[in-house]
mmCIF file of all heavy atoms in Angstrom:
data_model
loop_
_atom_site.group_PDB
_atom_site.id
_atom_site.type_symbol
_atom_site.label_atom_id
_atom_site.label_comp_id
_atom_site.label_asym_id
_atom_site.label_seq_id
_atom_site.Cartn_x
_atom_site.Cartn_y
_atom_site.Cartn_z
ATOM 1 N N ASN R 4 105.537 174.472 117.541
ATOM 2 C CA ASN R 4 105.302 175.802 117.089
ATOM 3 C C ASN R 4 105.751 176.745 118.143
ATOM 4 O O ASN R 4 105.038 176.946 119.109
ATOM 5 C CB ASN R 4 103.835 175.839 116.653
ATOM 6 C CG ASN R 4 103.569 177.194 116.028
ATOM 7 O OD1 ASN R 4 104.490 177.912 115.541
ATOM 8 N ND2 ASN R 4 102.301 177.541 115.916
ATOM 9 N N HIS R 13 115.226 191.707 129.391
ATOM 10 C CA HIS R 13 115.463 192.762 130.141
ATOM 11 C C HIS R 13 116.473 193.680 129.362
ATOM 12 O O HIS R 13 117.429 193.184 128.832
ATOM 13 C CB HIS R 13 116.126 192.400 131.461
ATOM 14 C CG HIS R 13 115.241 191.510 132.366
ATOM 15 N ND1 HIS R 13 114.073 191.931 133.060
ATOM 16 C CD2 HIS R 13 115.353 190.119 132.430
ATOM 17 C CE1 HIS R 13 113.631 190.922 133.605
ATOM 18 N NE2 HIS R 13 114.234 189.769 133.253
ATOM 19 N N GLY R 19 118.960 209.065 127.504
ATOM 20 C CA GLY R 19 119.606 209.672 126.142
ATOM 21 C C GLY R 19 120.078 208.513 125.254
ATOM 22 O O GLY R 19 120.403 208.849 124.082
ATOM 23 N N LEU R 24 113.941 197.002 120.660
ATOM 24 C CA LEU R 24 113.206 195.912 121.210
ATOM 25 C C LEU R 24 112.803 195.053 119.942
ATOM 26 O O LEU R 24 112.257 195.588 118.981
ATOM 27 C CB LEU R 24 111.943 196.216 122.025
ATOM 28 C CG LEU R 24 112.290 196.908 123.310
ATOM 29 C CD1 LEU R 24 112.980 198.138 123.311
ATOM 30 C CD2 LEU R 24 110.837 197.072 124.011
ATOM 31 N N LYS R 30 104.780 181.520 113.867
ATOM 32 C CA LYS R 30 104.770 181.109 112.484
ATOM 33 C C LYS R 30 103.472 181.309 111.949
ATOM 34 O O LYS R 30 102.398 180.801 112.490
ATOM 35 C CB LYS R 30 105.299 179.673 112.471
ATOM 36 C CG LYS R 30 105.612 179.179 111.140
ATOM 37 C CD LYS R 30 106.124 177.708 111.199
ATOM 38 C CE LYS R 30 106.420 177.320 109.784
ATOM 39 N NZ LYS R 30 106.963 175.836 109.676
ATOM 40 N N TRP R 37 102.192 196.101 119.203
ATOM 41 C CA TRP R 37 103.059 196.380 120.362
ATOM 42 C C TRP R 37 102.060 197.142 121.371
ATOM 43 O O TRP R 37 101.306 197.962 121.039
ATOM 44 C CB TRP R 37 104.244 197.349 119.902
ATOM 45 C CG TRP R 37 105.243 196.686 119.181
ATOM 46 C CD1 TRP R 37 105.441 196.597 117.861
ATOM 47 C CD2 TRP R 37 106.421 195.998 119.830
ATOM 48 N NE1 TRP R 37 106.536 195.971 117.642
ATOM 49 C CE2 TRP R 37 107.248 195.534 118.669
ATOM 50 C CE3 TRP R 37 106.972 195.746 121.071
ATOM 51 C CZ2 TRP R 37 108.457 194.832 118.911
ATOM 52 C CZ3 TRP R 37 108.074 195.091 121.337
ATOM 53 C CH2 TRP R 37 108.793 194.611 120.196
ATOM 54 N N LEU R 46 97.857 196.826 129.965
ATOM 55 C CA LEU R 46 98.609 197.087 128.686
ATOM 56 C C LEU R 46 97.882 198.126 127.925
ATOM 57 O O LEU R 46 96.634 198.167 127.846
ATOM 58 C CB LEU R 46 98.713 195.879 127.948
ATOM 59 C CG LEU R 46 99.791 194.755 128.396
ATOM 60 C CD1 LEU R 46 99.462 194.149 129.724
ATOM 61 C CD2 LEU R 46 99.949 193.752 127.255
ATOM 62 N N GLU R 60 99.295 203.586 114.281
ATOM 63 C CA GLU R 60 100.258 204.019 115.239
ATOM 64 C C GLU R 60 99.598 204.959 116.138
ATOM 65 O O GLU R 60 100.409 205.794 116.798
ATOM 66 C CB GLU R 60 101.536 204.439 114.579
ATOM 67 C CG GLU R 60 101.392 205.600 113.621
ATOM 68 C CD GLU R 60 102.637 206.078 112.868
ATOM 69 O OE1 GLU R 60 103.799 205.553 113.429
ATOM 70 O OE2 GLU R 60 102.595 206.849 112.045
ATOM 71 N N PRO R 64 103.647 207.383 121.019
ATOM 72 C CA PRO R 64 104.140 208.798 121.342
ATOM 73 C C PRO R 64 104.612 209.420 120.056
ATOM 74 O O PRO R 64 105.172 208.714 119.194
ATOM 75 C CB PRO R 64 105.272 208.722 122.318
ATOM 76 C CG PRO R 64 105.008 207.403 123.108
ATOM 77 C CD PRO R 64 104.411 206.512 122.052
ATOM 78 N N LYS R 65 104.373 210.763 119.869
ATOM 79 C CA LYS R 65 104.696 211.311 118.541
ATOM 80 C C LYS R 65 106.169 211.472 118.401
ATOM 81 O O LYS R 65 106.626 211.500 117.140
ATOM 82 C CB LYS R 65 104.031 212.726 118.616
ATOM 83 C CG LYS R 65 102.545 212.605 118.604
ATOM 84 C CD LYS R 65 101.973 212.162 117.318
ATOM 85 C CE LYS R 65 100.342 212.206 117.308
ATOM 86 N NZ LYS R 65 99.865 211.003 117.466
ATOM 87 N N GLU R 71 108.866 199.146 113.106
ATOM 88 C CA GLU R 71 108.896 198.524 111.779
ATOM 89 C C GLU R 71 108.741 197.073 111.861
ATOM 90 O O GLU R 71 108.927 196.439 112.781
ATOM 91 C CB GLU R 71 110.274 198.943 111.145
ATOM 92 C CG GLU R 71 111.417 198.215 111.813
ATOM 93 C CD GLU R 71 112.723 198.641 111.076
ATOM 94 O OE1 GLU R 71 112.795 199.436 110.126
ATOM 95 O OE2 GLU R 71 113.734 197.942 111.313
ATOM 96 N N PHE R 72 108.278 196.658 110.754
ATOM 97 C CA PHE R 72 108.158 195.133 110.538
ATOM 98 C C PHE R 72 108.534 194.758 109.021
ATOM 99 O O PHE R 72 107.760 194.863 108.215
ATOM 100 C CB PHE R 72 106.699 194.664 110.706
ATOM 101 C CG PHE R 72 106.503 193.196 110.783
ATOM 102 C CD1 PHE R 72 107.449 192.319 110.996
ATOM 103 C CD2 PHE R 72 105.268 192.752 110.693
ATOM 104 C CE1 PHE R 72 107.288 190.886 111.118
ATOM 105 C CE2 PHE R 72 104.951 191.285 110.635
ATOM 106 C CZ PHE R 72 105.889 190.496 110.861
ATOM 107 N N LYS R 74 110.092 193.019 105.570
ATOM 108 C CA LYS R 74 109.811 191.815 104.889
ATOM 109 C C LYS R 74 110.460 190.628 105.461
ATOM 110 O O LYS R 74 109.935 189.439 105.519
ATOM 111 C CB LYS R 74 110.042 192.020 103.363
ATOM 112 C CG LYS R 74 109.703 190.916 102.472
ATOM 113 C CD LYS R 74 109.967 191.278 101.007
ATOM 114 C CE LYS R 74 109.503 190.151 100.186
ATOM 115 N NZ LYS R 74 109.941 190.398 98.605
ATOM 116 N N GLN R 84 116.623 208.392 122.497
ATOM 117 C CA GLN R 84 116.896 209.296 123.524
ATOM 118 C C GLN R 84 115.996 208.947 124.735
ATOM 119 O O GLN R 84 115.129 209.775 125.090
ATOM 120 C CB GLN R 84 116.726 210.717 123.071
ATOM 121 C CG GLN R 84 117.654 211.040 121.866
ATOM 122 C CD GLN R 84 117.341 212.504 121.288
ATOM 123 O OE1 GLN R 84 116.223 212.782 121.212
ATOM 124 N NE2 GLN R 84 118.378 213.134 120.918
ATOM 125 N N VAL R 85 116.156 207.784 125.246
ATOM 126 C CA VAL R 85 115.108 207.308 126.225
ATOM 127 C C VAL R 85 115.295 208.305 127.466
ATOM 128 O O VAL R 85 116.209 208.851 127.838
ATOM 129 C CB VAL R 85 115.566 205.895 126.702
ATOM 130 C CG1 VAL R 85 115.251 204.910 125.564
ATOM 131 C CG2 VAL R 85 116.809 205.645 127.216
ATOM 132 N N CYS R 95 104.903 192.361 122.756
ATOM 133 C CA CYS R 95 104.528 192.264 121.354
ATOM 134 C C CYS R 95 103.466 191.117 121.318
ATOM 135 O O CYS R 95 103.525 190.131 122.118
ATOM 136 C CB CYS R 95 105.664 191.792 120.559
ATOM 137 S SG CYS R 95 105.590 191.316 118.885
ATOM 138 N N PRO R 99 97.125 185.852 113.102
ATOM 139 C CA PRO R 99 96.964 185.593 111.654
ATOM 140 C C PRO R 99 95.920 186.754 111.144
ATOM 141 O O PRO R 99 95.232 187.421 111.993
ATOM 142 C CB PRO R 99 96.450 184.219 111.491
ATOM 143 C CG PRO R 99 95.776 184.095 112.940
ATOM 144 C CD PRO R 99 96.520 184.927 113.821
ATOM 145 N N VAL R 115 115.311 202.562 132.443
ATOM 146 C CA VAL R 115 115.989 203.655 132.071
ATOM 147 C C VAL R 115 116.676 204.157 133.421
ATOM 148 O O VAL R 115 115.867 204.607 134.293
ATOM 149 C CB VAL R 115 115.257 204.707 131.369
ATOM 150 C CG1 VAL R 115 116.134 205.981 130.901
ATOM 151 C CG2 VAL R 115 114.586 204.123 130.033
#
Side-chain angles (χ1 to χ4, degrees):
Chain R
N4 184 14
H13 302 278
L24 288 62
K30 188 176 181 180
W37 286 93
L46 281 69
E60 56 183 349
K65 295 288 184 257
E71 63 177 12
F72 188 17
K74 187 176 180 182
Q84 299 175 328
V85 297
C95 172
V115 179

